[in-house]
Amino acid sequence: IVLLCLIAKFISSHFILSNIVVRLSGFCFGVYIFQEFILKIMYYYSPVRTLSGMVLPVAGFCITSVFALLSSFLVLKTKIGKYLIG
């Protein structure tokens, strides 16, 4: 526990978090929730699954990241969304 406290103190005193990182951290739980559904839709019901090799995981990551962030952003704009995932 002492080591963890020392590391946290070192990190907080030497690194300044940018506003973008702090803002994106608010979307983490929403992205976690939405990415599972987006991946299932993408891999089972779209033509993306026909891609081969290393293209499929990279495309899956990029598409899922964009749509999960967008979904999380839109849900957090509502009062119910702020209550559920914010």
Side-chain angles (χ1 to χ4, degrees):
I1 294 175
V2 173
L3 183 62
L4 181 62
C5 290
L6 288 173
I7 291 171
K9 184 170 176 73
F10 177 78
I11 289 173
S12 66
S13 65
H14 288 88
F15 296 104
I16 299 172
L17 295 176
S18 68
N19 191 23
I20 296 171
V21 174
V22 173
R23 181 176 251 179
L24 285 177
S25 70
F27 297 115
C28 286
F29 187 67
V31 170
Y32 171 73
I33 296 295
F34 288 119
Q35 60 92 18
E36 177 183 358
F37 301 113
I38 294 169
L39 282 172
K40 282 186 181 181
I41 290 169
M42 189 175 66
Y43 286 141
Y44 292 119
Y45 302 109
S46 75
V48 173
R49 65 181 172 181
T50 59
L51 297 174
S52 63
M54 289 300 296
V55 176
L56 182 62
V58 172
F61 171 75
C62 293
I63 293 169
T64 303
S65 297
V66 168
F67 283 115
L69 276 170
L70 181 64
S71 300
S72 181
F73 176 75
L74 292 175
V75 168
L76 285 171
K77 289 288 186 182
T78 65
K79 287 185 181 180
I80 295 173
K82 287 180 184 176
Y83 177 74
L84 292 175
I85 64 171

